[in-house]
Amino acid sequence: MSTATLELAATSSEVLNVIAAFVGGMVIAGALVWAVQFGMRVRDRELPRPTPEEQTHLPDTGAVHEVRELREPDEVPHAVGRERLLPHELHHAGSRRSEDQHRKRWLPGKSGAFGGGGLGHG
């Protein structure tokens, strides 16, 4: 092959690469335009946003604050005359308010958790 043929082949492949990149960019741009139009149509079909009058308001008594209380789990009833209770004989796992409402604090020298780094129980 002569140099003229090689130059012609190289130029034609460059032109084809530019055309392919341009067409690919047009396809991507067209897909983005379609996606935006589709999203706008979907948004137009949705219910309108609530007006400020329809928004929730604080009660007349003011904001509701957090209530902290210590809870104790309900005891699981013992099986009478049998080895164990069956699942259908159990009630939901409820809890009740504890009589002692003072938070338990960690004692000095006791670790707070596994691997807490303390000396542990003496």
Side-chain angles (χ1 to χ4, degrees):
M1 286 170 83
S2 69
T3 20
T5 312
L6 288 175
E7 286 178 9
L8 183 62
T11 348
S12 65
S13 70
E14 288 175 8
V15 169
L16 288 177
N17 287 343
V18 168
I19 291 173
F22 181 75
V23 170
M26 292 300 290
V27 167
I28 291 173
L32 289 173
V33 167
W34 175 83
V36 168
Q37 287 178 344
F38 179 75
M40 290 170 67
R41 276 185 268 143
V42 167
R43 189 173 177 186
D44 288 342
R45 280 187 261 138
E46 291 177 350
L47 294 173
R49 292 190 174 139
T51 62
E53 294 79 28
E54 295 172 337
Q55 297 286 341
T56 57
H57 299 287
L58 281 175
D60 295 334
T61 58
V64 179
H65 297 285
E66 177 180 325
V67 176
R68 288 184 175 235
E69 65 180 12
L70 296 175
R71 308 284 295 173
E72 292 180 350
D74 285 339
E75 296 296 325
V76 177
H78 294 285
V80 180
R82 286 187 288 173
E83 266 185 50
R84 62 187 177 118
L85 289 173
L86 299 176
H88 68 275
E89 296 172 328
L90 293 174
H91 61 280
H92 67 282
S95 63
R96 63 182 183 281
R97 188 172 192 274
S98 174
E99 292 179 16
D100 182 20
Q101 288 296 310
H102 296 288
R103 277 182 54 196
K104 293 179 177 60
R105 300 286 184 180
W106 297 114
L107 300 175
K110 308 278 182 158
S111 69
F114 177 75
L119 298 174
H121 299 290

